Amino acid sequence: MRNNEKLAAIPLTLGITFDLLALFSFRTAYFSWLHNLIRAPESFYPIGISFFALSSIGTMIDVYKGRVKADIRIIKFTLYIIFFPKLLMGPLLRYDSFSRIINKRRSSLSGIGVGMTIFVKGFAKKVIAADNLYMLYRTVHSENVGDISAATAWLGIIAYVFCLYFNLSGIADMGTGAAYCFGIKMPQSFNYPLLSARIKYFASRWQSQVVQWFRRYITKPLYNICHKKWTREIIFVCGWALFMFWYTFDINGLICGIILGIFIIIEARLRESQKMDFTGIFYTFLVVILCAVFLSGNSPSYSVRYLFAMIGANGDFVDSQCFYLLKSYIVLILLAMYASTDLFRNLMVRTGKSKIKVCLTLVSPLMVIILLIICTALISYSGSSETLLMKL
């Protein structure tokens, strides 16, 4: 412990305040005067500011608590903050973990091959899956919510869920792959969360390092001073509310996090009473859909109206638009559902050293090159790839 802990709390408070002000300044509309003051161009946004802020806050707390020794090498700390492969979607590593990974860096030709494979996989997620699913989502979202049919509403929100997953995980894979090419092996952020068998599994597999950050620096310290079960459950729900608020910085994100936290608690209680022995994939996906309705909505009232449209409150359950969109996107949706699971990975593990796996290993470099050419051609044809549904 330091000799003067109260004095050390002053720079800690100032640092956390500065980082939080930076977040709110660029992720909300309440600080437009600041943008005018610094003469920032229209739509100016510091990419990765959410990860900058959380990384800085976490490091300051760890140093203050004595978990990490203060590092006077400003270049190394700057590398930790602005390391480009993790700027957009993480992973959100602690400073000591990042230092260990950097110290173990080993570059090789095989590592470059693995890194390029991971990068192209993420590139394909972004360009082939997310971009096209975003078009489906925008088509439904652009319609008047009071006029769409129930089937069309379901189709639109399903497209949003898969688009969001492939968009975020695709960019995360591209960052991980780029780092791997330099011999830096970072952990994956998304571990096939969609179609999980339990809500708890979905929550732990979705951008897991960010979830762990909120648990380490917010919920766990509060658990230590609150010992009653009901108070811990309230803290748990509030932690998830903050996590989803971090995505959107609006009330819809808070509502989404509250819903997710409440359902995780309900699931845990029902599991204890053995009332949920059936497969949880169905109800988990329904909860994810419910959360996505609020996460994607412009306002709580819009999200509520969208929910009513999903249950047929508009009077139409199926319309011609639904059949047209389903005909156009059904193959992509089915492929997205398969790609969002770990079925192919498990198949490769089970094949062991069979001839099938050897053949796939031999042709995989060619497949990666072809996939890279296709993705590059698609971007060149469309001229852009703007499907970031939220600014992080």
Side-chain angles (χ1 to χ4, degrees):
M1 296 296 292
R2 294 161 310 284
N3 296 328
N4 200 333
E5 187 170 347
K6 291 182 178 180
L7 186 61
I10 296 176
L12 173 67
T13 304
L14 291 175
I16 293 176
T17 302
F18 175 80
D19 288 324
L20 292 178
L21 281 176
L23 271 178
F24 279 91
S25 298
F26 291 101
R27 296 200 60 186
T28 65
Y30 302 113
F31 289 83
S32 57
W33 59 269
L34 178 61
H35 299 188
N36 297 329
L37 182 65
I38 64 176
R39 297 183 179 181
E42 188 177 356
S43 71
F44 171 76
Y45 181 78
I47 297 175
I49 189 171
S50 296
F51 289 94
F52 291 164
L54 294 190
S55 298
S56 299
I57 292 173
T59 303
M60 286 188 291
I61 294 175
D62 285 341
V63 171
Y64 176 77
K65 293 291 186 180
R67 301 169 185 158
V68 176
K69 186 178 179 180
D71 197 336
I72 60 174
R73 293 172 295 179
I74 188 64
I75 295 179
K76 187 175 181 181
F77 181 75
T78 304
L79 175 65
Y80 164 68
I81 295 295
I82 63 173
F83 185 56
F84 73 94
K86 69 180 186 69
L87 277 184
L88 290 179
M89 296 301 160
L92 185 63
L93 299 171
R94 298 197 304 273
Y95 184 68
D96 55 341
S97 300
F98 181 80
S99 298
R100 287 195 295 269
I101 292 174
I102 291 295
N103 293 335
K104 294 180 180 179
R105 187 180 73 88
R106 296 291 184 274
S107 58
S108 63
L109 289 177
S110 60
I112 294 175
V114 174
M116 286 301 300
T117 301
I118 298 174
F119 180 89
V120 173
K121 182 183 74 171
F123 195 23
K125 284 182 179 181
K126 176 71 173 62
V127 176
I128 297 177
D131 284 14
N132 288 284
L133 288 168
Y134 182 72
M135 294 173 62
L136 171 56
Y137 161 70
R138 289 302 306 173
T139 301
V140 177
H141 190 71
S142 61
E143 298 290 331
N144 189 337
V145 71
D147 298 331
I148 59 177
S149 67
T152 302
W154 276 94
L155 198 59
I157 200 61
I158 288 173
Y160 175 84
V161 170
F162 283 105
C163 173
L164 183 63
Y165 167 70
F166 283 112
N167 191 68
L168 300 183
S169 66
I171 295 176
D173 285 346
M174 284 190 280
T176 301
Y180 214 108
C181 290
F182 293 95
I184 301 172
K185 301 178 181 179
M186 297 192 300
Q188 60 182 1
S189 298
F190 296 83
N191 187 20
Y192 303 101
L194 297 183
L195 305 180
S196 297
R198 291 180 61 179
I199 306 172
K200 178 182 179 181
Y201 298 155
F202 165 81
S204 62
R205 294 170 181 173
W206 182 276
Q207 207 147 19
S208 54
Q209 286 82 26
V210 181
V211 174
Q212 292 169 8
W213 189 96
F214 279 90
R215 183 183 297 122
R216 178 184 178 89
Y217 298 108
I218 297 178
T219 57
K220 189 175 179 180
L222 293 175
Y223 281 165
N224 295 331
I225 60 176
C226 299
H227 302 289
K228 293 184 179 180
K229 185 177 181 180
W230 66 271
T231 56
R232 288 193 169 191
E233 289 179 345
I234 293 176
I235 293 171
F236 180 82
V237 172
C238 291
W240 278 107
L242 285 175
F243 171 69
M244 300 310 300
F245 178 77
W246 175 76
Y247 270 99
T248 62
F249 268 68
D250 59 26
I251 191 172
N252 271 39
L254 281 173
I255 296 173
C256 174
I258 290 172
I259 292 172
L260 184 59
I262 290 175
F263 271 101
I264 293 175
I265 292 174
I266 292 174
E267 179 189 61
R269 290 189 174 184
L270 293 178
R271 286 274 180 176
E272 289 177 359
S273 59
Q274 297 182 352
K275 293 181 179 179
M276 297 180 68
D277 294 332
F278 58 90
T279 178
I281 295 177
F282 179 72
Y283 77 78
T284 299
F285 193 69
L286 286 180
V287 173
V288 172
I289 290 292
L290 176 61
C291 293
V293 170
F294 284 94
L295 192 66
S296 63
N298 300 324
S299 64
S301 60
Y302 175 88
S303 298
V304 171
R305 282 183 288 147
Y306 197 95
L307 284 173
F308 277 109
M310 291 173 64
I311 60 177
N314 293 336
D316 290 330
F317 288 92
V318 183
D319 58 4
S320 57
Q321 184 187 30
C322 174
F323 286 114
Y324 174 76
L325 293 175
L326 197 60
K327 179 182 177 181
S328 303
Y329 290 96
I330 184 62
V331 175
L332 178 61
I333 292 175
L334 292 176
L335 288 175
M337 292 178 65
Y338 178 78
S340 62
T341 67
D342 58 355
L343 294 176
F344 182 77
R345 184 183 66 177
N346 293 339
L347 177 64
M348 292 296 294
V349 172
R350 291 172 183 173
T351 53
K353 297 182 179 180
S354 64
K355 294 181 179 180
I356 298 176
K357 187 172 183 179
V358 173
C359 292
L360 289 174
T361 303
L362 292 175
V363 301
S364 59
L366 180 62
M367 294 171 61
V368 169
I369 294 174
I370 293 174
L371 198 58
L372 179 61
I373 294 173
I374 293 173
C375 293
T376 305
L378 288 174
I379 289 183
S380 301
Y381 176 77
S382 62
S384 64
S385 182
E386 300 176 357
T387 64
L388 275 178
L389 304 180
M390 53 190 61
K391 294 180 177 179
L392 295 176

